[in-house]
Amino acid sequence: MSNKLNNNELKAIGLTDSQLLQTAGKLAKSLIKAKKYTKERILELYRDIAKDPDKYTESDVFGDLARELKAKKPLLKKAQQVAQGYELKTQPAAYQVFGSEQIEKGAIEQMDTAAKLPVSVAGALMPDAHTGYGLPIGGVLATNAN
C-alpha cells in the first residue's frame, strides 16, 4: 500500500473541490513526511472532518482544511443535489477505445459512467487515457445539448 494519498481517495470521502483536494493533499504529504500520521489515520481524520468540520476549525493541524471545507460545504452540497437530479441511462452511449491494453481500468469505468449521462451521444478513449476528475484525461465525449 502506498503512503501517498491520491485524489480519488480524497474524493471518495467528499473532498471533491479542486482547492480542497490541493489543501488536503499538501497537508497529508507534510504530515506523512514528518511521520506524524499514517495515511490510514489521515484518511480517518479527513472522513471525520468532512462529516463535521466544526469539530476541527480550532485545530492547529487541521483547522485550515476544516474552515475551508466549512466555507465550501454549502456549494458542494448544492452541486451534489444538482448532480443527483439526473438519472443515468442504463446502457452507456457507444464509444471507441484505442489501445485498450494501455488504458487504466479506472479511466474505462469513468468513461462508462460519463457515457451514461442523459446528454451523452458518443465518445472515444485514446491510448494514453487515465483517470481524470469527471471524464478521463484522453477521453472525448460527444453530447447533445437538448
Side-chain angles (χ1 to χ4, degrees), residues 3 7 21 30 40 74 104 112 119 122 126 135:
N3 277 339
N7 282 348
L21 288 170
S30 70
E40 293 76 20
E104 296 177 352
D112 282 341
V119 295
M126 301 304 125
L135 186 69

Side-chain angles (χ1 to χ4, degrees), residues 54-140:
D54 289 326
K55 286 182 2 187
Y56 294 89
T57 55
E58 299 303 316
S59 166
D60 291 340
V61 177
F62 300 102
D64 289 342
L65 176 63
R67 288 186 293 276
E68 189 176 327
L69 178 61
K70 186 177 174 181
K72 293 186 181 223
K73 209 165 189 174
L75 297 174
L76 294 172
K77 194 171 196 173
K78 183 161 179 73
Q80 287 172 340
Q81 288 170 342
V82 169
Q84 291 171 357
Y86 297 98
E87 194 168 317
L88 296 179
K89 298 175 189 176
T90 56
Q91 292 295 314
Y95 66 91
Q96 294 228 293
V97 179
F98 300 95
S100 61
E101 63 279 348
Q102 299 168 346
I103 298 175
E104 296 177 352
K105 181 182 175 192
I108 292 173
E109 291 170 358
Q110 235 181 7
M111 190 66 180
D112 282 341
T113 301
K116 289 181 182 178
L117 291 170
V119 295
S120 298
V121 177
L125 276 176
M126 301 304 125
D128 64 342
H130 55 280
T131 307
Y133 283 110
L135 186 69
I137 308 301
V140 179

Side-chain angles (χ1 to χ4, degrees), residues 3-74:
N3 277 339
K4 285 177 88 176
L5 264 77
N6 65 51
N7 282 348
N8 288 335
E9 291 170 312
L10 296 173
K11 288 177 189 178
I13 60 175
L15 303 178
T16 56
D17 176 81
S18 61
Q19 186 62 45
L20 283 171
L21 288 170
Q22 187 176 16
T23 301
K26 283 181 181 178
L27 177 59
K29 184 177 180 180
S30 70
L31 293 173
I32 290 169
K33 186 176 181 181
K35 298 185 184 209
K36 293 185 178 187
Y37 293 89
T38 64
K39 173 184 172 178
E40 293 76 20
R41 180 65 179 138
I42 291 171
L43 280 171
E44 183 182 311
L45 286 163
Y46 281 6
R47 278 187 202 94
D48 198 42
I49 293 168
K51 286 180 194 168
D52 188 6
D54 289 326
K55 286 182 2 187
Y56 294 89
T57 55
E58 299 303 316
S59 166
D60 291 340
V61 177
F62 300 102
D64 289 342
L65 176 63
R67 288 186 293 276
E68 189 176 327
L69 178 61
K70 186 177 174 181
K72 293 186 181 223
K73 209 165 189 174

